[in-house]
């Protein structure tokens, strides 16, 4: 209910979506690194404000691993949003 209230200046808060402004989709399998450690996970969200531009990466249980710079992330597999078992 609070999501439907306009903030100052008549702006509604973003309520999700499937594509980030960085070219990644929600559910894409990506690879990045932190402190020379290789991290692989799924994109689940993003921050695109004046100060920070990050994507949130999640593990197989959808627990957030962390927020990472999208310039350092490499796409491994594009999400098709299909639930198909191979």
């Amino acid at each position: 209910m609070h999501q439907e209230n306009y903030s100052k200046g008549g702006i509604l808060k973003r309520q999700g979506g499937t594509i980030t402004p960085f070219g990644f989709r929600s559910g894409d399998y990506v690879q990045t690194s932190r402190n020379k450690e290789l991290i692989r996970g799924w994109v689940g969200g993003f921050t695109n404000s004046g100060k920070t531009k990050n994507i949130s990466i999640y593990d197989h249980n959808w627990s957030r691993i962390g927020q990472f710079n999208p310039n350092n992330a490499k796409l491994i597999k594009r999400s098709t949003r299909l639930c198909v078992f191979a």
Side-chain angles (χ1 to χ4, degrees):
M1 185 161 120
H2 296 288
Q3 294 281 341
E4 299 171 3
N5 294 333
Y6 289 91
S7 64
K8 197 171 191 176
I11 299 170
L12 270 177
K13 186 177 178 185
R14 180 180 63 85
Q15 296 181 11
T18 57
I19 191 135
T20 67
F22 316 115
F24 295 110
R25 291 182 188 160
S26 178
D28 283 351
Y29 193 57
V30 295
Q31 172 180 310
T32 188
S33 61
R34 175 173 50 191
N35 298 332
K36 298 182 181 178
E37 177 187 3
L38 192 63
I39 296 172
R40 291 183 179 171
W42 289 267
V43 175
F46 68 93
T47 304
N48 188 14
S49 65
K51 293 182 180 179
T52 60
K53 296 181 184 332
N54 293 322
I55 57 172
S56 295
I57 298 180
Y58 294 81
D59 65 4
H60 64 282
N61 290 323
W62 285 105
S63 295
R64 191 170 81 175
I65 298 170
Q67 292 183 322
F68 299 90
N69 187 344
N71 296 330
N72 298 335
K74 178 183 172 188
L75 180 67
I76 296 175
K77 184 169 169 84
R78 176 68 81 182
S79 171
T80 61
R81 293 298 211 186
L82 294 175
C83 295
V84 178
F85 290 99

